[in-house]
Amino acid sequence: GIVSLISLAVLSYERYCTMTGTTEANTTNYRKTWTGIVLSWTYSLVWTSPPLFGWSSYGPEGPGATCSVNWHSKDINNASYIVCLFIFCLVIPFVVIVYSYGKLLCAIRRVSGINKGMGRTREQRVLIMVVVMVICFLLCWLPYATVALIATFGKPGLITPAASIIPSILAKSSTVYNPIIYIFLNKQV
């Protein structure tokens, strides 16, 4: 899940750099692509390995069918890890996505002032894709993050195993939605 979130942030930033860069995209050099992939996986590994070394722990999630961070432990060790996950693996990727696509839209808007017809159509396509990406990102990950924070900081037993199933499925299914969004809303794919 974290790889998916970080990949979205890296992809949005890369798209912003490519679209606003003064140089032409080089389709034969995969160095930037591999760097983005390695950074996504390394960042994700950095944030998923601490429970293996004693900062929080992993355990059954929901009705026990899947494994995740132990959201129900109330100690400071676990709570601090949950807060860090929330900030570094949800909030920061979301800010990068909003920043990158926001700047991209501003750049397209400047260009569309020069070429009214084609620029306006392109701006609308990118705007639709950005809105869909952000909505899907929030619909997939915000319920899961909310349930995790409530389970960590709320009253014990407030989040039942049955109540945590839907947010968990939404978050884990986000990897399916992202390629669909890019395929159907990006003519360059």
Side-chain angles (χ1 to χ4, degrees), residues 42-136:
T42 303
Y43 189 87
S44 300
L45 184 62
V46 164
W47 284 106
T48 55
S49 60
L52 302 175
F53 301 105
W55 189 18
S56 190
S57 63
Y58 287 116
E61 178 182 51
T66 60
C67 181
S68 183
V69 175
N70 183 358
W71 307 115
H72 300 288
S73 176
K74 301 290 184 186
D75 65 353
I76 191 69
N77 182 30
N78 187 61
S80 64
Y81 180 69
I82 301 300
V83 168
C84 284
L85 272 181
F86 183 77
I87 292 169
F88 291 100
C89 297
L90 181 70
V91 173
I92 289 176
F94 181 69
V95 167
V96 169
I97 290 168
V98 170
Y99 172 82
S100 298
Y101 284 129
K103 291 296 237 176
L104 181 60
L105 285 174
C106 289
I108 291 172
R109 188 162 291 186
R110 281 193 307 270
V111 171
S112 70
I114 298 167
N115 185 356
K116 297 272 185 207
M118 191 171 137
R120 186 65 64 189
T121 304
R122 184 176 180 189
E123 180 182 343
Q124 289 170 345
R125 268 196 333 253
V126 172
L127 179 62
I128 289 169
M129 186 177 75
V130 169
V131 168
V132 170
M133 291 271 314
V134 170
I135 288 172
C136 283

